[in-house]
Structure formats: structure tokens, C-alpha cells
């Protein structure tokens, strides 16, 4: 069975008719894509609103599950952590001598001094910048460029897809985005009192949740100097090796839980260290989860628009 056009058209005229039909279809699609771009802009603006530094911010509980290892809260305003009160209870991190005699935990308080550096979540800064760049792409596609040029719109949609996808990946996290904890330590003076020399504090975004990883460290080189501000800090890792080995021989030393960094050596703040204990705590942030859901939907919409335009233009949407 075959299909024929009636009335019959010569081959040359048939080709011209097909080209004219495709041209009209492309014109209609480019016009409808302007509505799609307006919808995308609305979604991007909603994401910006969710990331805006609006007081009082989002106060999130930071607590380890099924243990008393970590208890506290932090407050996020935009891309910054503006308030934090966390108490840590680990065998390898005794309370400082300056704390209350009845205290059994190590306190972490964000400094309120005006000269203290800010605790900034760089992933959220990247997400906000990428969304703003996406809005610029939409505005250029709508007002500045030629909205009837298929090649121009195709290029803008590809650029928009890259920005939205990168923003979503930044919220998803991962070592390739966050970086390695030992290479980017936080400034000790963010906290009051300053962070203990044997404690690593690493805060990042993972799957649109705040991820806090605390590590107690052991210096691999003996007689590591202690900063003057921590002269009163009891460091269990620089104690007498004879005393430690005696406790181990007597079986009095508690066995620390295994973790994925056991036995590895890292260069942290210019010194080689091992990780004694590692605690990972996640805290879901409703605003960030909403942003990630919106970005996923926007990415899907851009993919559909690119695919439709590529089909009408007769090319691969990856071109």
C-alpha cells in the first residue's frame, strides 16, 4: 500500500510544498517557545525567591540519629550560616577545661563578633549565580535576540539547559563539586571559642540537605605544637605513648568505630593527620528541597523544548 497526494503534484512542487509546511511549523513552534520561556522565567524567579537572604531565615536541627554524639541547631539566611549552637559528645573530643565542670560535651558556637568571618555555603552561591545567568539567557532570548531565528533560539536553549543542569548538580553535591574536606578547612575564628586543633568541621550541601561532617584528628608526627589559644585544651592524641600502650595492653581503651577513612593520612592545614572518629549528620532544608524540585522540572521542560525544536529543524538536539 502506498500514499499519494491528490491532486498530483510534480516532484519539484512537492518538495517546495514540504519546505513551506516545515517553515510554517517552525514559525509556529518558535512563537510557542516564547510562552515556554516566560514559564521558565517564572520558575527561575521562584527559585531565586527561595534562596533570597530573608530574615529570620531557616533554623534547622542538627542531630545525630540514635546517639547523643551531635546535638544542636544552625540558622541559614540565604547563602550564609548566621547562627549555630552545636554540642559534640565524642570519646576522642573531651570538653575543654574552660567549660563548666559539669559539661560532658564539646561546644561549637558561631562567633557573633563583627570582625568574625562569615560561614558561607559556596554551593548556594554557585546555584544563585547560575539561576541569575539562566534568567539573563531567557531575557536575551525574549527581548534582545531574534526570536524568529531558529539557530539562535536553539543555541540559547542549550545554554539554558547547561546552566539549569549545573545548578541542580550543585544542590545535589558530591566531592567533585564540594571539594575535599582537608583541602578547604574552615577558618577557626568563625567559632567562639575557636575550633579545636584536633577537630575538623565540614559543612556542605548534599541532595538539597545540609550535610555536616565532624572529624576528630590525630597528628601523625609527635610533639605537634599546640596554638597558645588552646594551651588549656586536653589533647588525648598527644598523651604519653607509654600510657596509651599500657591502656591498650590492659584492654581499657574503648575501640573506636570503623569508618571509610580509617588508616588514611591527610594533609590538613599543613600537617599530616589521621581521622580517629567521623560523624555525619544530615538536616533537610525545605527551601533547598523545593529549589531542587523546581530545577528538575525546569530542566525537563528545557529538554522537551530542545527536542521539539531539533525535530522540526531536522537535526540532533545534541548539536
Amino acid at each position: 500500500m502506498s500514499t499519494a497526494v491528490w491532486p498530483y503534484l510534480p516532484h519539484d512542487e512537492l518538495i517546495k510544498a514540504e519546505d513551506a509546511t516545515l517553515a510554517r511549523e517552525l514559525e509556529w513552534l518558535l512563537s510557542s517557545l516564547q510562552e515556554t520561556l516566560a514559564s521558565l522565567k517564572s520558575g527561575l524567579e521562584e527559585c531565586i525567591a527561595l534562596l533570597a537572604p530573608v530574615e529570620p531565615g531557616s533554623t534547622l536541627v542538627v542531630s545525630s540519629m540514635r546517639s547523643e554524639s551531635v546535638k544542636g541547631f544552625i540558622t541559614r539566611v540565604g547563602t550564609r550560616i548566621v547562627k549555630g549552637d552545636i554540642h559534640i559528645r565524642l570519646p576522642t573530643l573531651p570538653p575543654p577545661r574552660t567549660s563548666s565542670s559539669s559539661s560532658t560535651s564539646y561546644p561549637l558556637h558561631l562567633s557573633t563578633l563583627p570582625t568574625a568571618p562569615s560561614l558561607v555555603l559556596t554551593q548556594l552561591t554557585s546555584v544563585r549565580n547560575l539561576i541569575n545567568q539562566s534568567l539573563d539567557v531567557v531575557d536575551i532570548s525574549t527581548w534582545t535576540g531574534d526570536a524568529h531565528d531558529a539557530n539562535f533560539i536553539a543555541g540559547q536553549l542549550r545554554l539554558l539547559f547547561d546552566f539549569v543542569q549545573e545548578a541542580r548538580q550543585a544542590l545535589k553535591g558530591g566531592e567533585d563539586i564540594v571539594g575535599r574536606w582537608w583541602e578547604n578547612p574552615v577558618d577557626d575564628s568563625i567559632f567562639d571559642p575557636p575550633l579545636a586543633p584536633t577537630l575538623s568541621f565540614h559543612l556542605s550541601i548534599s541532595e538539597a540537605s545540609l550535610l555536616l561532617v565532624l572529624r576528630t584528628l590525630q597528628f601523625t608526627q609527635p610533639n605537634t605544637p599546640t596554638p597558645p589559644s588552646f594551651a588549656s585544651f586536653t589533647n588525648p592524641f598527644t598523651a604519653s605513648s607509654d600510657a596509651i600502650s599500657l591502656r591498650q595492653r590492659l584492654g581499657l581503651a574503648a575501640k573506636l568505630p570503623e569508618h571509610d577513612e580509617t588508616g588514611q593520612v591527610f594533609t590538613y592545614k599543613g600537617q599530616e593527620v589521621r581521622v580517629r572518629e567521623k560523624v555525619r549528620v544530615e538536616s533537610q532544608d525545605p527551601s533547598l528541597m523545593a529549589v531542587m524540585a523546581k530545577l528538575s522540572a525546569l530542566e525537563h521542560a528545557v529538554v522537551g523544548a530542545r527536542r521539539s525544536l531539533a525535530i522540526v529543524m531536522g537535526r540532533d538536539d545534541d548539536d
Side-chain angles (χ1 to χ4, degrees):
M1 178 180 291
S2 61
T3 303
V5 177
W6 182 264
Y8 173 79
L9 292 176
H11 180 72
D12 294 341
E13 293 185 17
L14 181 61
I15 296 299
K16 291 179 181 179
E18 291 176 351
D19 292 341
T21 301
L22 285 174
R24 288 192 297 270
E25 186 175 355
L26 182 58
E27 182 181 358
W28 172 85
L29 179 59
L30 291 173
S31 178
S32 66
L33 283 178
Q34 292 302 306
E35 298 178 4
T36 301
L37 289 170
S39 177
L40 292 173
K41 181 177 181 179
S42 177
L44 291 168
E45 289 174 340
E46 290 175 1
C47 292
I48 286 293
L50 288 168
L51 294 173
V54 179
E55 296 288 352
S58 301
T59 298
L60 308 171
V61 174
V62 178
S63 178
S64 54
M65 298 184 64
R66 297 185 295 275
S67 77
E68 298 292 324
S69 299
V70 181
K71 297 293 180 183
F73 72 90
I74 56 177
T75 300
R76 179 185 64 81
V77 176
T79 61
R80 299 184 303 117
I81 303 299
V82 299
K83 188 182 298 183
D85 186 4
I86 302 173
H87 293 266
I88 308 169
R89 188 176 298 175
L90 296 173
T92 54
L93 188 69
R97 292 178 179 177
T98 56
S99 64
S100 170
S101 58
S102 61
S103 175
T104 58
S105 62
Y106 184 93
L108 275 182
H109 305 293
L110 249 64
S111 176
T112 57
L113 296 174
T115 57
S118 299
L119 181 55
V120 179
L121 296 167
T122 56
Q123 287 167 263
L124 295 187
T125 302
S126 298
V127 172
R128 189 178 61 184
N129 291 338
L130 288 165
I131 294 176
N132 282 327
Q133 292 178 52
S134 299
L135 286 169
D136 290 340
V137 171
V138 173
D139 287 341
I140 291 173
S141 304
T142 305
W143 304 107
T144 307
D146 186 356
H148 301 289
D149 185 342
N151 290 318
F152 169 73
I153 295 298
Q156 292 297 99
L157 287 175
R158 178 169 185 171
L159 187 60
L160 181 59
F161 171 78
D162 291 341
F163 285 151
V164 172
Q165 184 184 56
E166 192 173 346
R168 185 180 61 80
Q169 289 294 335
L171 280 178
K172 186 176 179 65
E175 188 177 278
D176 55 332
I177 294 174
V178 178
R180 298 170 176 173
W181 65 269
W182 64 90
E183 294 178 345
N184 298 291
V186 300
D187 192 326
D188 294 343
S189 57
I190 288 177
F191 302 94
D192 184 19
L195 200 65
T198 54
L199 178 63
S200 165
F201 177 99
H202 192 260
L203 185 65
S204 62
I205 306 295
S206 175
E207 299 293 345
S209 299
L210 263 65
L211 173 62
L212 173 62
V213 182
L214 298 168
R215 297 172 174 87
T216 56
L217 309 176
Q218 177 184 20
F219 299 108
T220 60
Q221 298 178 356
N223 301 322
T224 301
T226 301
S229 59
F230 287 95
S232 61
F233 178 77
T234 304
N235 189 345
F237 310 134
T238 57
S240 167
S241 59
D242 293 337
I244 294 177
S245 60
L246 177 61
R247 292 181 64 202
Q248 292 175 340
R249 287 198 297 269
L250 294 175
L252 299 177
K255 184 178 180 180
L256 299 177
E258 296 287 334
H259 52 79
D260 58 345
E261 295 174 343
T262 299
Q264 300 183 48
V265 177
F266 306 95
T267 302
Y268 179 75
K269 297 184 179 180
Q271 302 181 35
E272 291 188 348
V273 298
R274 289 189 176 90
V275 179
R276 292 294 302 275
E277 280 189 276
K278 177 179 177 181
V279 180
R280 173 189 173 108
V281 179
E282 289 190 25
S283 182
Q284 293 185 340
D285 189 319
S287 295
L288 299 186
M289 295 176 69
V291 172
M292 189 168 184
K294 289 181 181 294
L295 289 175
S296 297
L298 292 171
E299 182 181 354
H300 181 74
V302 175
V303 168
R306 291 186 65 201
R307 183 177 294 117
S308 299
L309 186 57
I311 291 173
V312 177
M313 294 178 67
R315 62 170 62 172
D316 189 341
D317 61 347
D318 292 330
D319 291 345

